[in-house]
Amino acid sequence: MTNIYYDKDANLDLIIDKTVAILGYGNQGRAQALNMRDSGLKHIIVGSRHDASFDTANEDGFPVYSIAEASEKADIIFMLLPDEVAPEIFKEQIAPGLHEGDIVNFASAYNITFKHIVPPSYVDVVMAAPRMIGDGVRQLYLRGEGSPAFVGVAQDASGKALEYGKALCKAIGATKKGAIEVDFIDETMLDLMTEQGIWPIIYHVFDEAFKLHVAKGHPEEAVLMEAYMSKEPMYMMEKAAEMGMFKQLPFHSHTSQYGQLSSYEVYDPTTIREFLAERYDRIRSSEFSKVWDKEQKENHLENFKKLSDQAMHSPLSEAEERVLDVLK
């Protein structure tokens, strides 16, 4: 069993008087900044370019500086910038302002894992990474529940990096639910495998079922409503998170339970297993990282835009648009 830390295991006094810079005041940045202020942290600043997020941070009452200025002033830096732009910004605007004893906190381990960002040896590199969208991080904090997070250490210059990471998790409310200790590689692999392994399979299941049912003559409105537009799968997954994937089955009828379990028993998952293993090896070997880097720098996102356009104009997407117009 890995270590899971709760409120009693984390000490806010370690960071209460430190200056924390939020770099990237998007959904996560805003939620985490507000939570930390409500947790009693006294010196929270924001580093941002002059855009809508700059104005939002000002309206929320946080001092706002350029990214370089905020990095220079801070003891703790929250790296909440998009993965694809973070390496260049780190090198040019953040690293020059780092001091011995500073703490750099990553919500995504991607750039550390694949060495797109290599912090200087004299800073702590930690991870306080919520497993929840920004709005959920804020709303669950306000309800007194908190959202779970991963906590980890990539570089321990001070000898107290893990304690700092735990304290940051407590400040954003994660230790109310549980901060799970993982390595940076764990976060990277689990995150990317969910995106590149699990969800593509799920998308194909719904897409192929839609094509089959419509080809058999069923109305597309009913097909989509039964599949997911009713939001029934959302409630199933909520119960699965609370109770367990199979232990939520008693909420279904006996007919439903028997149909699900008997079909599960005869389904051959070989192709799924092979696909997941191939995706895992592709990520772990850095092949995906190299391809994605080339896509951004050399292809100027042409393949990305093509794939996105195909998905947004697929038969499934067009049917969804028609059905949603009717449902309005």
Side-chain angles (χ1 to χ4, degrees):
M1 288 289 289
T2 190
N3 295 317
I4 303 178
Y5 302 107
Y6 298 96
D7 281 351
K8 64 180 177 58
D9 303 310
N11 181 10
L12 275 183
D13 290 341
L14 289 171
I15 60 173
I16 202 78
D17 292 319
K18 291 185 180 293
T19 298
V20 179
I22 303 292
L23 307 185
Y25 201 73
N27 291 330
Q28 279 290 348
R30 183 171 189 265
Q32 294 185 43
L34 292 172
N35 287 4
M36 285 192 287
R37 183 167 66 186
D38 289 348
S39 292
L41 271 66
K42 302 172 183 177
H43 309 292
I44 300 172
I45 63 177
V46 172
S48 175
R49 61 183 182 179
H50 280 270
D51 56 11
S53 64
F54 186 103
D55 296 331
T56 300
N58 262 321
E59 291 166 6
D60 287 339
F62 295 109
V64 188
Y65 304 93
S66 69
I67 290 176
E69 277 187 283
S71 301
E72 172 70 30
K73 291 176 179 292
D75 304 303
I76 302 173
I77 293 170
F78 271 56
M79 289 289 296
L80 297 172
L81 303 163
D83 284 336
E84 58 268 29
V85 301
E88 183 176 354
I89 293 175
F90 186 89
K91 180 180 180 180
E92 296 179 357
Q93 302 179 48
I94 300 169
L98 293 176
H99 309 97
E100 186 172 348
D102 283 351
I103 302 158
V104 185
N105 172 51
F106 288 81
S108 165
Y110 180 89
N111 280 314
I112 294 294
T113 296
F114 296 115
K115 301 188 186 310
H116 297 311
I117 292 178
V118 181
S121 60
Y122 50 80
V123 301
D124 284 340
V125 179
V126 304
M127 172 173 55
R131 313 324 292 170
M132 176 66 65
I133 60 173
D135 185 63
V137 170
R138 181 59 177 161
Q139 294 306 316
L140 288 168
Y141 180 95
L142 292 173
R143 295 195 330 230
E145 298 177 28
S147 57
F150 287 161
V151 62
V153 174
Q155 187 166 284
D156 187 5
S158 69
K160 298 188 293 185
L162 179 59
E163 297 307 312
Y164 286 131
K166 287 156 57 177
L168 294 174
C169 284
K170 185 172 184 175
I172 63 176
T175 49
K176 288 187 180 298
K177 198 71 172 181
I180 304 171
E181 185 177 355
V182 299
D183 293 332
F184 271 52
I185 187 64
D186 294 324
E187 195 278 339
T188 301
M189 294 305 303
L190 296 176
D191 187 41
L192 295 185
M193 276 298 291
T194 299
E195 297 163 357
Q196 298 179 37
I198 297 173
W199 281 111
I201 292 170
I202 292 172
Y203 292 150
H204 268 295
V205 169
F206 282 116
D207 191 39
E208 291 302 319
F210 169 77
K211 292 174 184 175
L212 172 68
H213 291 147
V214 171
K216 296 292 186 181
H218 302 292
E220 60 185 20
E221 296 89 346
V223 172
L224 293 175
M225 185 63 67
E226 181 64 28
Y228 54 87
M229 280 192 172
S230 67
K231 299 186 180 181
E232 183 181 26
M234 178 183 75
Y235 289 102
M236 290 173 60
M237 294 308 295
E238 183 176 8
K239 290 300 179 184
E242 294 172 354
M243 305 172 62
M245 190 64 71
F246 293 116
K247 290 182 180 178
Q248 58 84 29
L249 282 172
F251 288 102
H252 305 248
S253 70
H254 283 174
T255 302
S256 175
Q257 290 182 61
Y258 180 74
Q260 291 182 58
L261 291 170
S262 59
S263 296
Y264 176 82
E265 188 68 19
V266 300
Y267 178 78
D268 182 0
T270 300
T271 55
I272 293 177
R273 191 178 299 123
E274 291 173 349
F275 177 77
L276 291 174
E278 185 273 331
R279 293 290 95 178
Y280 188 94
D281 291 342
R282 182 171 182 262
I283 296 167
R284 191 68 181 88
S285 68
S286 300
E287 181 183 349
F288 169 76
S289 176
K290 293 174 183 176
V291 170
W292 176 224
D293 194 49
K294 181 179 179 181
E295 175 66 15
Q296 297 170 71
K297 295 178 180 178
E298 297 181 25
N299 297 338
H300 307 293
L301 297 179
E302 289 184 10
N303 292 329
F304 171 75
K305 292 172 184 175
K306 180 181 177 181
L307 290 169
S308 179
D309 185 67
Q310 288 174 346
M312 298 308 165
H313 294 90
S314 68
L316 178 64
S317 292
E318 291 176 351
E320 289 170 333
E321 191 171 335
R322 291 191 295 271
V323 172
L324 288 170
D325 283 341
V326 172
L327 292 176
K328 290 176 183 177

